[in-house]
Amino acid sequence: MTNLIVELSKYALILLMALYTCMTFISFRMKTRKSSDYMLAEMTFIMLLLQFVAYLVLYLKLGEKEDMIYYYGFQALFMVLVTLLWRLFYKDIHNTLISNMCMMITIGLIMLTRIDVEKSVRQFKMIIIAMIVSMLVPVIIRKWKTCCNFDTVYGIVGILMLGVVLVMSATTYGANISFTIAGVTLQPSEFVKILFVFYVAGRFAKSTEFKDVVVTTIFAAAHVLILVVSTDLGGALLFFVTYLVMIYVATQKAIYCAAGIGAGCAAGVLAYNLFSHVQVRVMAWQDPWSCIDNEGYQIAQSLFAIGTGGWTGMGLGQGMPSSIPFVEKDSIFSAISEEMGGIFAVCVILICMCIFLAFFNLAMKVKNKFYCYLAMGLGTMYAAQVLLTVGGVTKFIPLTGVTLPLVSYGGSSLLSTLIIFGIIQGISLIIYDEEREVEKERNRLERDKRRKDREKEKQKQKA
Amino acid sequence: MNETNEEKIEKKKNRNKKPKNQEMLYVAYIFLGIFVCMIGYFVYFQTMVSSNVITSAYNKRQDTFADRVVRGDIVTSDDVVIATTNVAANGAETRVYPYNDLFAHAVGYASHGKTGIELLANYQLLSSHAYFLERFVNEVKEEKNMGDTVVTTLNYELQKTAYDALGDYRGAVIALEPSTGKVLAMVSKPDYDPNAINANWESISSSSDSVLLNRATQGLYPPGSTFKILTLLEYMREGNDLENWTYECTGSYTEDDVTINCYQGKKHGMVDLKTAFAKSCNGAFAKMGMEINNTEFMRTCNELLFNTELPIEFPYKQSSVSLEKNDETGTVMQTAIGQATTEVTPMHMALITAAIANGGNLMKPYFIDSIENYTGEQVKKYMPSSYGKLMTAGEAAVLTEYMTETVLSGTATALQSEVYTAAGKTGTAEYTTDKSKSHAWFVGFSNVEDPDLVVCVLVEGAGAGSTYAVPIAKKMFDTYYVNN
């Protein structure tokens, strides 16, 4: 019986995931609030079904019987609560982003529970805290209009934080910079990401004069350089790509972009020749099989996982995700693909793509330059991170040790991503505020016009 | 004053507004493009690449399949089952090798680690391509599915012939199809009974005869006169006139106080190059060795896979030869006749011979012909693939001509037959200071016009190649043509 359920659940999970993915794209087309809310309810329902099926299998496959039921119950309740609260507190938020955020968290928790229940519980606690923080962010973004004026502060704090880590930290595995304060391990680069985007958005919103661009670029390059020196190549690449996109959109000059790409390539070649850990990564990417016992081990195991899982997966609890090094962080995507299947994994990529689209969609809608650049910068950061991690574990590009936002294990990454989602929702609120203002303005002008018309007519009549 | 209200609104909007931003759209498209590329790559990996990746012996996931699949059969190309799984009434499984020692090194074993085809095809043996419904029903009943059958390239008759012909000698026999790279037979002795691996693991694995060592791919031996093929090739490559070359053999050749003797001091008299090769005149080749450029010679050797990786999926040892620019006369002359420090595996010599037989183009040797589900329906067919040219077609043709002479008038006249033509080279390789002890070598192929079968024979410590190795090769060729 267990076998049958596990076997059938595989297909049920894929079906639900595919359905959800279709709906998330359809939900973009919802014009009215009401239809959008209705869609949100439907998507949440599908997500809960998926969560139920997954935990049913985990319940049958894993030991801790009773605890698992409670744990599932908490999670399901939490997801419903999160969706409701967001919706009730803020009536102008982006619905698709809310359900996609919940979906990513749910998938992450399912996979983590499968790999290591203890880590999953720890992550869930972190999610609760981070979600509370995240819910406060939109108010701040909406009310604190002057936040665009503190660009210098963002820039200096960001560089200082990175610098402190560089000096203090003991590096592990050539990346993964962190330090521990009072038992909590923090990865400052996760938060500097946000500061960095604030800094660049603030600078470009003020001025895109050549000399200002030069100063901004020097600051941005300093960020990237510190990350490269502290061997966080993935982080460096994220900052670099984000800056490139922001400078291109803000200045509307392709020449800057081209120069940036040129400089990036040159820096890449230089880094390859200077740093052995860069060479190792590239070598492991080109031919993991010839160094399968050492450098190529992680990528080889990841490919074994994805390949052996095939399109429909091994079924939850039936693969060997733990054989992949750093599975709960860098390689969570491979674990998903192994156990839930390639189709499911493609759906995960599509949902990530959808989140990216939502970020850019908001960036295009918002009229204020600063918020536009902010949304775009954060969207780029998110997309680049997804592409780096998924591309890395599938051998599309060299592995850089970046986490899959909201899905991978790790408090700092989770908190910073949820703050980013909060900022974006804040921008969504601002868009509606702007619209209402325009509406008000229009009404006022119309009133003026009518009044003038009436006066003119009166004068005519007098005449 | 002339502005309409709409324009005013627009103007007011524009004050805080960014300029119309086409660039943002471009960026979005670029990122979408990358997302699509990545999904495309993922699909490509799953459909095209993954089947080659996951069959790797490093993929530990395969072993978990054993919980749900009964390990499939291994059969020869002529449909003889050489490994199968017996399932007892209580579900206990035993791996059975019906022909005991006969296929030991080729098929390998599946407990205490895996080797041979059992290792190579582990993934396929533990995968089931039975009918979907049947598999589903089995899943529901929590019963195991039947694993796929691996059809090897091995030929039962040839394997048996090689096994019997080698008799009690130690050594190795390999038979290849030069046009495809199919391995038709691979025997190594001493051997072991894979059925007894579990029971006698201690004695088998610690045996002083190292019975687990596959001498066909892992045994390193001095190549002796079979190496003259390479010396001749280099001599030819350096533009020497082969046609008008002559040498007066007095049974030995001396230079710088170093003397190279012909086998058993035989005087070959006045010989041309073809005769020198066919009769394996050491003096002639020692002299040629002194004339050729050492560096160039090493380059040729390396091109023929010395000091290089072999394109083979079995564990193997790398062959080695070394000759420095200013090496002593003795080393130079010894190397030219396949002695000195030179060591090769029988598989390597077989591959060189196969390349000659195939017009210089080496086909990668392979052992698995196809995969069938347990009812015999084909699931996958493995195609021959080329490794590349080891020499030009012209060079291969000349070498073939010389090797044919060996059968016509040289050391392998025993291979003359009504049924087929043959070409080859014998070798008698000394391996200790005791000159009476030597390994017997033969490499060659049949049907010279369009070669069918390459055979490489090595008999440890037996004596002259023509006496001990050639008869085994003859039996192989005879069996091949009786059965085809």
Side-chain angles (χ1 to χ4, degrees):
Chain A
M1 196 57 192
T2 308
N3 259 3
L4 177 64
I5 293 175
V6 172
E7 204 58 28
L8 285 178
S9 75
K10 236 164 60 175
Y11 301 102
L13 286 175
I14 290 170
L15 218 66
L16 287 168
M17 186 63 173
L19 189 63
Y20 180 91
T21 310
C22 290
M23 287 169 82
T24 177
F25 277 96
I26 294 168
S27 74
F28 264 107
R29 309 170 66 99
M30 295 295 136
K31 288 279 180 269
T32 64
R33 226 337 120 177
K34 204 175 164 193
S35 62
S36 168
D37 279 347
Y38 192 68
M39 198 74 188
L40 174 65
E42 283 180 336
M43 284 164 77
T44 310
F45 179 69
I46 300 283
M47 182 193 78
L48 289 172
L49 268 182
L50 188 143
Q51 192 184 28
F52 173 76
V53 175
Y55 273 95
L56 180 68
V57 177
L58 289 178
Y59 173 78
L60 293 170
K61 276 276 167 189
L62 301 178
E64 298 123 285
K65 296 273 174 185
E66 208 151 298
D67 290 352
M68 188 65 86
I69 298 174
Y70 289 128
Y71 189 45
Y72 160 72
F74 270 128
Q75 272 186 39
L77 199 69
F78 176 75
M79 292 306 163
V80 174
L81 213 62
V82 162
T83 312
L84 278 178
L85 286 179
W86 270 103
R87 209 43 216 96
L88 290 177
F89 284 164
Y90 306 108
K91 70 180 181 21
D92 295 331
I93 54 162
H94 196 292
N95 278 351
T96 313
L97 270 181
I98 291 296
S99 62
N100 284 349
M101 172 182 77
C102 289
M103 188 64 172
M104 283 312 199
I105 292 176
T106 304
I107 294 172
L109 280 175
I110 291 170
M111 217 51 233
L112 274 180
T113 310
R114 150 71 182 100
I115 296 165
D116 185 341
V117 179
E118 219 169 282
K119 277 186 178 161
S120 166
V121 173
R122 217 178 308 155
Q123 177 83 346
F124 186 48
K125 284 178 188 160
M126 197 63 212
I127 288 171
I128 296 174
I129 298 168
M131 193 58 86
I132 295 170
V133 176
S134 172
M135 281 187 179
L136 296 175
V137 173
V139 200
I140 301 171
I141 294 293
R142 188 186 195 179
K143 299 286 176 199
W144 188 30
K145 294 283 188 205
T146 53
C147 70
C148 58
N149 297 331
F150 298 96
D151 46 80
T152 323
V153 179
Y154 305 137
I156 291 172
V157 172
I159 288 189
L160 280 181
M161 275 169 83
L162 289 182
V164 166
V165 180
L166 174 62
V167 175
M168 277 175 54
S169 72
T171 53
T172 47
Y173 291 105
N176 251 342
I177 315 87
S178 64
F179 59 88
T180 310
I181 301 172
V184 184
T185 305
L186 282 176
Q187 270 184 286
S189 72
E190 291 287 349
F191 301 101
V192 177
K193 269 182 207 167
I194 304 174
L195 283 175
F196 178 73
V197 176
F198 266 85
Y199 167 72
V200 179
R203 291 283 303 176
F204 284 151
K206 265 188 198 161
S207 157
T208 49
E209 293 290 317
F210 180 71
K211 63 177 195 298
D212 290 306
V213 170
V214 170
V215 174
T216 316
T217 306
I218 290 171
F219 255 77
H223 281 89
V224 175
L225 222 61
I226 297 176
L227 285 168
V228 170
V229 173
S230 48
T231 73
D232 184 0
L233 296 176
L237 205 55
L238 281 182
F239 280 62
F240 174 70
V241 170
T242 306
Y243 185 69
L244 218 57
V245 166
M246 288 178 84
I247 197 176
Y248 172 60
V249 173
T251 61
Q252 294 175 287
K253 282 179 186 143
I255 183 84
Y256 282 136
C257 197
I261 292 173
C265 291
V269 172
L270 201 68
Y272 179 82
N273 290 316
L274 278 182
F275 302 112
S276 62
H277 59 267
V278 181
Q279 287 163 21
V280 164
R281 293 282 168 100
V282 173
M283 193 177 75
W285 169 62
Q286 280 174 334
D287 186 11
W289 315 113
S290 65
C291 49
I292 192 162
D293 291 317
N294 307 301
E295 299 89 354
Y297 188 77
Q298 186 179 3
I299 179 73
Q301 291 301 326
S302 164
L303 292 180
F304 286 155
I306 294 171
T308 313
W311 285 115
T312 54
M314 307 284 288
L316 269 175
Q318 308 205 94
M320 293 173 73
S322 307
S323 70
I324 317 168
F326 310 113
V327 64
E328 74 280 0
K329 288 193 163 182
D330 310 2
S331 311
I332 192 93
F333 181 81
S334 320
I336 291 173
S337 191
E338 175 183 13
E339 298 217 320
M340 304 206 246
I343 301 173
F344 196 99
V346 168
C347 287
V348 170
I349 305 178
L350 286 172
I351 294 176
C352 291
M353 191 170 102
C354 195
I355 293 174
F356 161 76
L357 281 178
F359 277 40
F360 259 61
N361 189 10
L362 290 175
M364 287 183 195
K365 273 189 193 160
V366 73
K367 289 172 187 99
N368 182 299
K369 262 191 214 169
F370 174 71
Y371 295 117
C372 165
Y373 297 155
L374 197 59
M376 200 190 56
L378 294 174
T380 307
M381 196 70 103
Y382 177 85
Q385 198 168 341
V386 171
L387 291 169
L388 281 185
T389 177
V390 177
V393 295
T394 52
K395 207 171 94 70
F396 185 52
I397 50 171
L399 205 59
T400 42
V402 179
T403 57
L404 186 57
L406 297 182
V407 183
S408 292
Y409 176 71
S412 302
S413 159
L414 179 84
L415 182 57
S416 80
T417 312
L418 280 181
I419 289 175
I420 289 175
F421 272 73
I423 295 168
I424 293 295
Q425 295 293 13
I427 291 173
S428 178
L429 301 186
I430 287 171
I431 291 173
Y432 282 93
D433 287 349
E434 282 177 343
E435 273 176 15
R436 271 189 288 273
E437 212 162 291
V438 169
E439 195 66 27
K440 238 192 267 170
E441 187 73 5
R442 179 173 313 188
N443 289 342
R444 199 174 60 78
L445 286 173
E446 291 225 331
R447 265 202 312 279
D448 281 358
K449 192 188 173 197
R450 256 181 265 133
R451 202 175 55 229
K452 275 179 190 163
D453 285 351
R454 269 201 304 278
E455 277 168 14
K456 266 183 199 165
E457 250 166 62
K458 269 181 197 167
Q459 279 171 353
K460 252 186 216 165
Q461 278 171 0
K462 274 182 188 173
Chain B
M1 263 331 233
N2 293 331
E3 283 173 353
T4 64
N5 284 333
E6 283 302 315
E7 276 169 349
K8 269 185 200 162
I9 296 169
E10 277 301 314
K11 213 175 167 188
K12 183 150 180 128
K13 262 203 240 165
N14 282 339
R15 215 183 307 140
N16 254 329
K17 201 195 152 189
K18 69 226 176 185
K20 257 274 171 259
N21 218 329
Q22 203 64 35
E23 282 75 11
M24 204 144 55
L25 215 55
Y26 294 153
V27 172
Y29 283 142
I30 289 171
F31 271 88
L32 283 189
I34 304 176
F35 267 109
V36 170
C37 283
M38 204 173 61
I39 293 173
Y41 176 78
F42 186 86
V43 172
Y44 165 74
F45 175 81
Q46 285 285 16
T47 48
M48 312 295 289
V49 185
S50 115
S51 58
N52 294 327
V53 167
I54 55 184
T55 48
S56 159
Y58 282 92
N59 187 0
K60 284 177 275 175
R61 283 164 178 77
Q62 294 168 7
D63 297 330
T64 61
F65 295 177
D67 303 338
R68 319 179 86 187
V69 173
V70 177
R71 196 176 182 80
D73 292 352
I74 301 175
V75 302
T76 63
S77 57
D78 41 355
D79 268 333
V80 178
V81 176
I82 51 182
T84 184
T85 305
N86 277 357
V87 185
N90 65 1
E93 291 172 7
T94 2
R95 195 71 173 154
V96 180
Y97 304 90
Y99 296 93
N100 306 327
D101 301 31
L102 181 53
F103 288 90
H105 290 101
V107 168
Y109 48 86
S111 53
H112 288 88
K114 295 187 180 66
T115 61
I117 291 167
E118 290 275 33
L119 175 68
L120 220 58
N122 190 39
Y123 183 85
Q124 289 87 343
L125 290 166
L126 288 173
S127 302
S128 179
H129 283 88
Y131 293 106
F132 177 78
L133 217 64
E134 181 188 331
R135 272 190 287 160
F136 187 75
V137 171
N138 278 335
E139 287 285 349
V140 174
K141 291 198 292 191
E142 309 208 355
E143 275 172 15
K144 286 191 175 186
N145 277 303
M146 294 303 297
D148 290 344
T149 301
V150 169
V151 182
T152 64
T153 56
L154 297 170
N155 178 285
Y156 175 79
E157 296 298 335
L158 280 174
Q159 179 85 5
K160 179 143 176 49
T161 306
Y163 187 86
D164 293 344
L166 198 52
D168 290 333
Y169 280 109
R170 293 160 172 240
V173 179
I174 298 165
L176 296 172
E177 196 174 80
S179 58
T180 59
K182 284 183 180 174
V183 180
L184 304 184
M186 181 170 76
V187 169
S188 166
K189 287 193 179 185
D191 50 24
Y192 59 92
D193 181 359
N195 291 307
I197 278 285
N198 279 333
N200 304 335
W201 176 248
E202 283 301 314
S203 64
I204 288 176
S205 60
S206 60
S207 133
S208 57
D209 294 337
S210 33
V211 291
L212 290 180
L213 185 81
N214 181 5
R215 284 162 168 77
T217 59
Q218 293 172 302
L220 284 171
Y221 304 93
S225 299
T226 56
F227 193 76
K228 286 174 185 162
I229 295 172
L230 284 100
T231 312
L232 174 62
L233 176 62
E234 177 57 26
Y235 198 70
M236 184 188 342
R237 282 187 175 178
E238 292 187 9
N240 291 298
D241 180 5
L242 305 187
E243 290 299 318
N244 302 314
W245 186 96
T246 51
Y247 171 73
E248 171 83 47
C249 172
T250 56
S252 68
Y253 175 78
T254 307
E255 193 155 333
D256 295 347
D257 294 339
V258 186
T259 303
I260 296 290
N261 293 311
C262 277
Y263 185 62
Q264 291 175 338
K266 190 169 165 57
K267 292 187 176 77
H268 294 109
M270 195 67 174
V271 288
D272 60 5
L273 190 49
K274 207 182 260 183
T275 315
F277 181 84
K279 299 200 187 270
S280 204
C281 174
N282 284 345
F285 276 81
K287 183 169 179 286
M288 285 158 69
M290 291 306 293
E291 289 169 19
I292 56 184
N293 179 321
N294 290 354
T295 320
E296 290 298 315
F297 190 21
M298 281 309 102
R299 185 179 299 164
T300 296
C301 288
N302 292 344
E303 273 175 36
L304 266 66
L305 307 178
F306 275 88
N307 309 317
T308 320
E309 288 173 14
L310 295 183
I312 180 173
E313 291 162 306
F314 265 60
Y316 66 91
K317 290 269 167 59
Q318 205 164 298
S319 301
S320 62
V321 59
S322 87
L323 206 52
E324 299 287 324
K325 207 174 177 182
N326 301 315
D327 265 342
E328 289 170 18
T329 309
T331 313
V332 174
M333 293 199 294
Q334 292 283 1
T335 303
I337 61 164
Q339 295 289 160
T341 56
T342 311
E343 283 187 315
V344 297
T345 57
M347 181 55 89
H348 183 196
M349 285 313 298
L351 293 183
I352 292 174
T353 314
I356 296 169
N358 196 39
N361 184 15
L362 175 65
M363 300 303 289
K364 286 186 191 163
Y366 67 106
F367 294 82
I368 304 171
D369 179 67
S370 62
I371 308 294
E372 295 173 348
N373 74 6
Y374 81 101
T375 58
E377 240 169 86
Q378 195 171 85
V379 175
K380 180 171 178 162
K381 175 94 182 154
Y382 290 85
M383 288 303 169
S385 64
S386 168
Y387 172 82
K389 286 247 170 217
L390 296 193
M391 63 194 82
T392 66
E395 289 165 345
V398 174
L399 291 177
T400 303
E401 191 190 324
Y402 277 62
M403 286 165 80
T404 310
E405 193 62 31
T406 311
V407 175
L408 294 179
S409 68
T411 52
T413 44
L415 288 180
Q416 290 176 12
S417 156
E418 301 276 294
V419 188
Y420 54 85
T421 53
K425 182 76 194 84
T426 57
T428 306
E430 291 166 6
Y431 59 99
T432 61
T433 43
D434 181 355
K435 302 260 179 196
S436 67
K437 283 187 180 171
S438 53
H439 298 318
W441 276 98
F442 174 80
V443 293
F445 49 92
S446 64
N447 198 15
V448 177
E449 291 299 308
D450 181 17
D452 297 318
L453 184 69
V454 164
V455 169
C456 171
V457 179
L458 170 96
V459 194
E460 277 185 29
S466 54
T467 321
Y468 295 93
V470 172
I472 296 176
K474 181 166 178 55
K475 284 181 188 163
M476 294 294 283
F477 292 133
D478 288 347
T479 304
Y480 183 84
Y481 288 102
V482 166
N483 287 290
N484 283 293

